[in-house]
């Protein structure tokens, strides 16, 4: 398709990358990016780019990737609970400063011949072009005021995004108990000798600490746009002194927020197409916002090159990207719920907690994780089974005996008669989840059944975990035999005590 003029609204990673790829594929087309901010004045700290994204960028644009990898920092990952630390080698993830990422993308866009216009807020509808790419971020005006069927779900937890001026050795996940409750950091080093420090907590802890008040103050009219919630930063600096080793927390428009997951019924209308955060977001704990935006750019430009007109190109773009985006949003939702309930799991030894973390969204099974971190998995299995693992992993996990409340079970599939609970919930921590937990509390054990699909099984395993942790009653979860690996992951992760494979239930 011949494009004469293309306008890109938003100079974030999605917009800049789309503009460069568009210009490279259509040298005769005038491509212009409209960004409200100034070059170099971005918010945020580092972002992570995983191996899969690096492969896709390598195929689409090796020059840009080479510079990004050069600017990035590789790191392993650790989970720290008190003085217990577990480390997992992961040199395929790089952390890049958002400023550096944008500087590289700006340079490469200009090198390709894209014109960049900074400093004025624009409207998609006011841009004179054959094609308008609306990469205007999570708060997209284009989406909010257009016929895209946009919806936003707001998470329960509170988080703030800050940084520190030294490079951590590894990415660090660490909970810290305070007089108000638990705060958890997700911190990772990035280029330029700095680290991102994202800190989250639950609503009650946030209120007890008085951060509802500091949040209201930091959002009051007249507060400078770039101001941070300094009271929270100073408190958290003390709480995370062990991880910060005497360094300060640095804010940059740092305020408590609740994560917003954006979904849209359609991503295009007329000559305008949404891309990146304007079309969809996925919880930060799976580190995929930049990845999704840049992969959208690749797919959009490919579709524009292959289709005969804009309508067909937009349809192809959405057809290619929507399944991948929705899959990631599904994983991100599980991950979000896991992190929002994280403090309840701190009774697990740190190696088992690491297995629980890896399997939280159902996409890194134990039998795969064992190849990445054999020592961690071996220790977790010993903690779970009381002896070194042997033979086929899943069979071994299911075959371990259990003593619960004075009752002895020869293995994890020998389930006594228990009160039946049917679970068809979306969110085990919802009000309906509360009702099921209250019912379980009146029993001396529950067998949780529900719809047969894998998603529903993973959700009832999460409900079982909540029941175990909050009531202490024996839990068993029913699932199809072909999901035995998921059941084994759940047993080692402390999500359930026993399991019933459906043939056995009959
Ligand atoms: C706490 C947190 C942690 C994160 N961690 C990671 C991570 O580890 N890895 C990762 O990949 N992603 C991460 N992300 C997500 C990532 O920052 C975004 O998903 C990503 O930047 C999306 O790119 P984008 O180009 O779609 O939007 P944005 O980067 O938001 O860019 C949109 C741009 O549009 C401009 N704009 C908006 N409206 C207008 C207008 N009307 N006129 C002109 N300009 C306009 C804005 O100024 C902005 O520059 C994180 C996000 C959060 C909140």
């Amino acid at each position: 398709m011949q494009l004469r003029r293309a306008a890109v609204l938003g100079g974030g990673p999605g917009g800049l990358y789309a503009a460069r790829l568009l210009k490279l594929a259509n040298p005769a087309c005038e491509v212009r990016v409209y960004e409200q901010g100034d070059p170099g004045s971005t918010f945020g700290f580092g972002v992570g780019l995983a191996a899969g994204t690096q492969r896709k960028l390598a195929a689409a644009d090796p020059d840009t990737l080479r510079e990004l990898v050069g600017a990035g920092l590789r790191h392993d990952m650790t989970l720290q609970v008190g003085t217990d630390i577990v480390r997992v080698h992961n040199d395929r993830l790089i952390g890049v400063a958002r400023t550096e990422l944008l500087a590289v993308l700006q340079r490469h866009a200009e090198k390709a011949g894209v014109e960049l216009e900074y400093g004025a807020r624009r409207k998609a509808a006011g841009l004179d072009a054959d094609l308008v790419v609306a990469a205007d971020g999570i708060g997209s005006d284009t989406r909010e005021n257009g016929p895209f069927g946009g919806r936003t779900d707001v998470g329960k937890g509170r988080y703030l995004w800050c940084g520190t001026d030294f490079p951590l050795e590894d990415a660090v996940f660490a909970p810290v108990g305070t007089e108000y409750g638990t705060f958890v950091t997700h911190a990772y080093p990035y280029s330029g000798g700095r680290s991102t420090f994202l800190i989250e907590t639950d609503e009650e802890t946030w209120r007890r600490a008085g951060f509802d008040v500091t949040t209201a103050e930091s959002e009051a009219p007249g507060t400078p746009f770039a101001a941070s919630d300094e009271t929270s930063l100073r408190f958290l600096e003390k709480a995370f002194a062990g991880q910060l080793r005497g360094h300060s927390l640095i804010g940059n428009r740092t305020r408590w927020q609740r994560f917003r997951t954006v979904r849209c019924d359609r991503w295009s209308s007329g000559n305008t197409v949404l891309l990146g955060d304007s079309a969809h977001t996925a919880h930060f704990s799976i580190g995929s916002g930049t990845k999704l935006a840049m992969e959208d750019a690749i797919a959009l430009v490919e579709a524009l090159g292959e289709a005969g007109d804009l309508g067909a190109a937009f349809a192809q773009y959405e057809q290619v990207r929507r399944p991948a985006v929705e899959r990631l949003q599904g994983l991100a939702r599980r991950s979000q719920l896991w992190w929002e309930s994280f403090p309840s799991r701190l009774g697990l030894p740190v190696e088992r907690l690491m297995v629980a973390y890896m399997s939280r969204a159902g996409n890194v099974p134990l039998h795969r994780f064992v190849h990445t971190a054999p020592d961690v998995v071996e220790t977790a299995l010993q903690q779970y089974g009381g002896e070194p693992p042997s033979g086929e992993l899943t069979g071994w996990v299911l075959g371990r005996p259990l003593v619960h409340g004075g009752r002895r079970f020869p293995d994890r599939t020998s389930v006594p008669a228990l009160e039946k609970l049917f679970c068809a919930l979306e969110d085990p921590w919802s009000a309906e989840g509360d009702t099921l937990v209250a019912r379980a509390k009146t029993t001396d054990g529950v067998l949780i059944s529900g719809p047969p699909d894998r998603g529903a099984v993973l959700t009832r395993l999460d409900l079982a975990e909540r029941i175990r942790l909050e009531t202490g009653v024996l839990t068993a979860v029913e699932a199809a035999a072909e999901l035995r690996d998921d059941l084994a992951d759940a047993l080692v992760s402390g999500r359930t005590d026993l399991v019933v494979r459906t043939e056995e239930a009959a």
Side-chain angles (χ1 to χ4, degrees), residues 19-304:
R20 168 169 164 90
L21 297 181
L22 207 52
K23 184 69 183 171
L24 290 176
N26 303 273
C29 175
E30 182 191 315
V31 182
R32 185 179 281 258
V33 175
Y34 298 89
E35 166 57 44
Q36 63 186 355
D38 298 321
S41 75
T42 179
F43 77 99
F45 297 90
V47 294
L49 290 178
T53 311
Q54 292 172 44
R55 272 196 301 277
K56 288 190 180 135
L57 301 193
D61 181 5
D63 288 351
T64 300
L65 180 71
R66 205 170 306 117
E67 264 203 62
L68 288 179
V69 170
L73 195 73
R74 293 185 189 282
H75 50 74
D76 290 345
M77 180 174 83
T78 62
L79 178 61
Q80 302 178 359
V81 182
T83 51
D84 295 335
I85 298 183
V86 62
R87 171 174 280 109
V88 171
H89 182 57
N90 179 10
D91 64 357
R92 297 179 319 156
L93 180 72
I94 54 168
V96 190
R98 189 174 147 100
T99 42
E100 189 61 34
L101 171 76
L102 292 182
V104 169
L105 293 175
Q106 280 160 13
R107 241 189 346 266
H108 281 258
E110 279 184 316
K111 218 159 105 185
V114 172
E115 291 165 56
L116 304 179
E117 190 184 300
Y118 284 90
R121 189 169 172 81
R122 302 295 203 120
K123 281 193 184 311
L127 299 174
D128 174 24
D130 311 331
L131 162 71
V132 177
V133 179
D136 48 348
I138 189 165
S140 171
D141 251 14
T142 317
R143 179 191 69 240
E144 292 300 299
N145 298 311
F148 300 98
R151 303 177 296 291
T152 304
D153 288 331
V154 181
K156 291 198 260 289
R158 300 273 174 174
Y159 73 92
L160 57 72
W161 205 10
C162 53
T164 186
D165 59 357
F166 79 102
L168 289 159
E169 258 168 59
D170 303 304
V172 175
F173 298 108
V176 167
T178 71
E179 65 265 47
Y180 307 117
T182 304
F183 293 85
V184 187
T185 185
H186 308 221
Y188 42 93
Y190 62 89
S191 44
R194 293 191 160 214
S195 303
T196 299
F197 244 79
L198 188 147
I199 297 167
E200 68 173 327
T201 193
D202 57 275
E203 177 86 14
E204 292 73 30
T205 303
W206 176 79
R207 277 185 198 286
R208 277 193 295 268
F211 295 152
D212 50 342
V213 177
T214 61
T215 301
E217 283 166 4
S218 64
E219 287 169 354
T223 309
F225 182 58
S228 295
D229 179 344
E230 293 296 334
T231 310
S232 294
L233 288 175
R234 300 295 78 82
F235 173 85
L236 293 167
E237 204 166 85
K238 288 203 192 92
F240 287 97
Q243 286 73 27
L244 286 164
R245 293 186 232 142
H247 291 261
S248 316
L249 284 178
I250 305 165
N252 181 355
R253 297 186 211 171
T254 298
R255 294 152 194 195
W256 289 103
Q257 298 175 61
R258 293 198 290 166
F259 192 81
R260 289 177 290 155
T261 301
V262 169
R263 295 183 179 83
C264 287
D265 292 338
R266 62 201 78 81
W267 293 352
S268 62
S269 168
N271 70 342
T272 302
V273 62
L274 303 179
L275 180 147
D277 274 12
S278 69
H280 46 68
T281 60
H283 191 247
F284 56 75
S285 60
I286 60 162
S288 59
T290 306
K291 158 202 165 77
L292 288 178
M294 294 178 79
E295 291 179 8
D296 278 359
I298 295 171
L300 176 65
V301 174
E302 266 174 20
L304 287 164

